[in-house]
Amino acid sequence: MSRVFIALQDNENARFIVEAIGEDNPGAEVKHSPAMIRVEADDRLIIRRETVEEKLGRDWDTQELQVDMISIGGNVDEDDDSFTLYWNT
């Protein structure tokens, strides 16, 4: 089984994004490091625009993720409603 991950800067926006990721991906594992938050999951990790907007309390474009992102591991599928990391199996 392959693990996908996203690493984000540890800032106010990212904390809400991580909260949304946890809600949409119950099996995801969150690891806090100095100035970084890494979220890992088996095979697939989805970040849904609607969930992030609920947490932030404002409109959010999935491309805004690029501002807080440090690194990713996995293939990317991105559209207006979600940002998905996955491994081809």
Side-chain angles (χ1 to χ4, degrees):
M1 184 177 328
S2 298
R3 307 257 308 158
V4 296
F5 76 88
I6 186 166
L8 302 169
Q9 297 177 52
D10 189 356
N11 60 35
E12 189 172 334
N13 266 351
R15 290 182 204 114
F16 288 113
I17 294 168
V18 169
E19 186 178 336
I21 293 171
E23 184 173 310
D24 289 335
N25 303 273
E29 182 180 339
V30 177
K31 298 178 179 180
H32 291 268
S33 299
M36 183 181 82
I37 306 170
R38 180 180 169 115
V39 184
E40 298 180 1
D42 293 331
D43 296 320
R44 179 174 297 272
L45 190 67
I46 186 163
I47 303 168
R48 290 187 175 90
R49 178 189 51 78
E50 184 177 12
T51 309
V52 174
E53 286 179 344
E54 288 174 12
K55 302 299 179 188
L56 286 172
R58 63 170 178 84
D59 290 343
W60 183 77
D61 187 312
T62 57
Q63 292 184 359
E64 288 182 56
L65 189 59
Q66 307 294 329
V67 174
D68 300 308
M69 188 184 320
I70 296 171
S71 182
I72 56 172
N75 298 311
V76 175
D77 183 15
E78 180 180 11
D79 60 31
D80 291 341
D81 295 319
S82 66
F83 183 94
T84 304
L85 294 168
Y86 65 95
W87 288 116
N88 291 334
T89 52

